[in-house]
Amino acid sequence: MLEILSYLHDSELVARFQRRCGLVLLTEAAQNGEARGLTPGDKSNGGLKQRRQDNNSNYKYKRNGCAERGSRGKSCGRHQYEVRNWLLYFLFLLSAGLGHEVFYITCLPCVHWNLDPFLCRRLVNMWTLVMYVGQVMKDLLKLPRPLSPPVVKLETRVDVEYGLPSTHAMAAVAISFSLLLSATSRLQFQFEVGLLIAVLLSSLVCLSRLYTGMHSVLDVICGVLISAVLIVLTYPYWETFDSFQLTSPMSPVVGLVLPLFLSYTYPRLDHYSTTRGDTTTILGVGAGCSVGYWVSEQLGQTLEPQGELPVPIPALTAEAVVMGTARSLVGVVLLVGTRQIAKMVSLGVLYSLYKIPQCDKSAKGRREIEVPYKFFTYTSVGLVHSILVNRVLTLLGLL
């Protein structure tokens, strides 16, 4: 068993997958005499992209040796790579974007405004749960990401994070299949088609984590299995939790206090990692949405679909597309504006409270600054999404 786990966690397995998909290190391309695949609009470095050295637990972060190259921006490290299959390159980069927190924070609310608030509520709840479990497991298990080399890494922000499990894989599986299971009682659709779409989207996100070099095969498999277990364990209680979240007088208290407690008790590391901040962001969104859903229920402004359930899926007419786009744009603008204002206010108060110079940007990584400012900021975003946006859209005649 240990040999199997070691094999699945091997960096070379990821590197082989990348090569099969046309992502090749320059050294290999040069040895084979097959250098090709220029990036459109950039010939200054022969179309060969550069990759940073891994700086998670395996390597110390190198800040020097970076330079600007052509129109491509920063290039760090000695190793370069070429893209031989541009279709897969863009497909997997797009798929990787479907697993980022920013995507879920901006796109899940669109389900609320354009389809069914019930479905959005289910998705936010499951997303918050699986992401918290995944992030905590990363920092407790402390298993490294794939080594670089031999792996080509296309992302750099989360290099300092540990690898197992893949939270991208966890979120993709949880969102896709929670939507599938929840939508059966709300919308009329062919289950087999929904299942195919859920499997396809989950698979693309999972494979993208291998293609971008950010996770081993073991990381991805564990992420999928953990999400599957969480869905199976929680599914029988979804209705019970819905009732508590919407009707219990204790719901707003639990919805705020529990996520804040989990943010402050997040496992500490001996080095800075983005996991704590990202986890606080997710918990903050979940807290704000939970309280907002309860308030909307008390005010009778849930905007549930009219008619007997399950209702037909809205027809994709030109008018529906225009209205949906308008609702989404207004909603996203309000969320982004809320984020900027809440971030500015919270950081201003905290910097003043702890007597930190405003120019000290690194202070945002300190626990006493990062946790409260991110929790306040994204709780505000969740509240605006679940309460204010609906009223604004109604006033504008978009609902």
Side-chain angles (χ1 to χ4, degrees):
M1 178 60 72
L2 290 178
E3 290 182 358
I4 294 176
L5 295 178
S6 178
Y7 172 75
L8 293 176
H9 197 248
D10 187 8
S11 301
E12 184 57 38
L13 189 60
V14 178
R16 286 205 297 269
F17 175 79
Q18 291 181 321
R19 291 193 291 268
R20 288 290 183 91
C21 295
L23 191 62
V24 185
L25 282 174
L26 172 63
T27 52
E28 297 173 3
Q31 289 172 2
N32 295 329
E34 299 174 352
R36 58 183 181 276
L38 296 180
T39 303
D42 187 0
K43 299 181 180 180
S44 61
N45 61 354
L48 299 171
K49 295 195 172 184
Q50 294 222 357
R51 174 185 50 72
R52 299 170 67 113
Q53 182 176 352
D54 186 328
N55 60 316
N56 66 1
S57 60
N58 297 294
Y59 295 94
K60 291 184 178 180
Y61 184 52
K62 292 189 176 180
R63 291 187 176 274
N64 53 1
C66 297
E68 298 290 331
R69 283 182 173 261
S71 62
R72 187 164 290 116
K74 288 186 178 181
S75 295
C76 300
R78 297 176 302 168
H79 301 283
Q80 296 176 318
Y81 65 88
E82 70 168 318
V83 178
R84 296 180 178 178
N85 189 320
W86 288 102
L87 176 62
L88 291 180
Y89 176 79
F90 288 115
L91 174 64
F92 284 130
L93 286 190
L94 176 63
S95 301
L98 299 179
H100 287 302
E101 290 85 358
V102 174
F103 170 79
Y104 289 121
I105 291 172
T106 54
C107 291
L108 286 184
C110 294
V111 177
H112 184 118
W113 306 323
N114 295 302
L115 190 59
D116 188 352
F118 171 89
L119 295 178
C120 180
R121 186 171 68 249
R122 282 277 177 88
L123 297 182
V124 170
N125 291 337
M126 284 303 299
W127 175 65
T128 305
L129 172 64
V130 299
M131 289 298 289
Y132 176 76
V133 171
Q135 296 284 72
V136 169
M137 289 187 67
K138 277 184 181 181
D139 287 344
L140 290 179
L141 296 175
K142 298 183 179 181
L143 293 178
R145 292 178 181 271
L147 300 176
S148 177
V151 170
V152 176
K153 289 200 172 182
L154 299 182
E155 296 181 13
T156 58
R157 176 182 176 270
V158 294
D159 271 353
V160 293
E161 294 184 10
Y162 293 104
L164 191 147
S166 167
T167 48
H168 274 68
M170 291 182 68
V173 170
I175 292 295
S176 299
F177 287 91
S178 294
L179 178 60
L180 176 66
L181 294 173
S182 300
T184 53
S185 62
R186 309 288 293 184
L187 302 171
Q188 297 176 14
F189 68 98
Q190 191 172 349
F191 183 83
E192 292 77 10
V193 174
L195 178 61
L196 178 62
I197 294 174
V199 171
L200 177 62
L201 291 178
S202 300
S203 300
L204 283 174
V205 173
C206 290
L207 291 175
S208 75
R209 304 317 289 158
L210 301 179
Y211 184 87
T212 55
M214 299 313 296
H215 285 287
S216 68
V217 175
L218 182 64
D219 297 343
V220 173
I221 292 175
C222 288
V224 172
L225 293 178
I226 293 169
S227 272
V229 170
L230 288 174
I231 291 174
V232 170
L233 292 178
T234 60
Y235 180 72
Y237 305 101
W238 285 2
E239 294 290 343
T240 302
F241 184 78
D242 281 341
S243 177
F244 172 83
Q245 188 175 44
L246 297 179
T247 62
S248 173
M250 291 299 297
S251 175
V253 178
V254 175
L256 274 177
V257 174
L258 180 59
L260 184 59
F261 172 78
L262 294 175
S263 297
Y264 271 103
T265 57
Y266 189 83
R268 295 198 183 196
L269 300 175
D270 56 3
H271 64 278
Y272 178 76
S273 171
T274 54
T275 50
R276 183 183 62 202
D278 290 345
T279 305
T280 303
T281 294
I282 294 162
L283 291 171
V285 170
C289 289
S290 183
V291 174
Y293 296 146
W294 182 85
V295 171
S296 296
E297 179 72 17
Q298 307 313 304
L299 297 176
Q301 298 176 345
T302 57
L303 301 176
E304 295 288 325
Q306 301 299 313
E308 184 179 354
L309 297 175
V311 299
I313 295 178
L316 197 63
T317 62
E319 181 182 2
V321 171
V322 171
M323 290 292 287
T325 302
R327 285 193 289 264
S328 299
L329 287 176
V330 171
V332 169
V333 167
L334 289 173
L335 296 187
V336 172
T338 300
R339 176 188 177 275
Q340 293 303 109
I341 294 172
K343 179 179 179 180
M344 180 180 64
V345 170
S346 59
L347 283 177
V349 170
L350 290 166
Y351 271 50
S352 176
L353 180 64
Y354 288 99
K355 296 180 173 54
I356 300 173
Q358 294 293 329
C359 60
D360 186 2
K361 303 300 182 183
S362 63
K364 290 192 294 185
R366 290 163 50 177
R367 179 172 175 267
E368 63 271 22
I369 302 295
E370 184 177 53
V371 172
Y373 112 72
K374 289 210 168 190
F375 191 84
F376 174 79
T377 297
Y378 288 97
T379 297
S380 302
V381 169
L383 286 169
V384 169
H385 144 67
S386 52
I387 301 176
L388 182 61
V389 174
N390 289 342
R391 292 193 169 194
V392 172
L393 294 178
T394 301
L395 289 175
L396 294 177
L398 295 175
L399 282 179

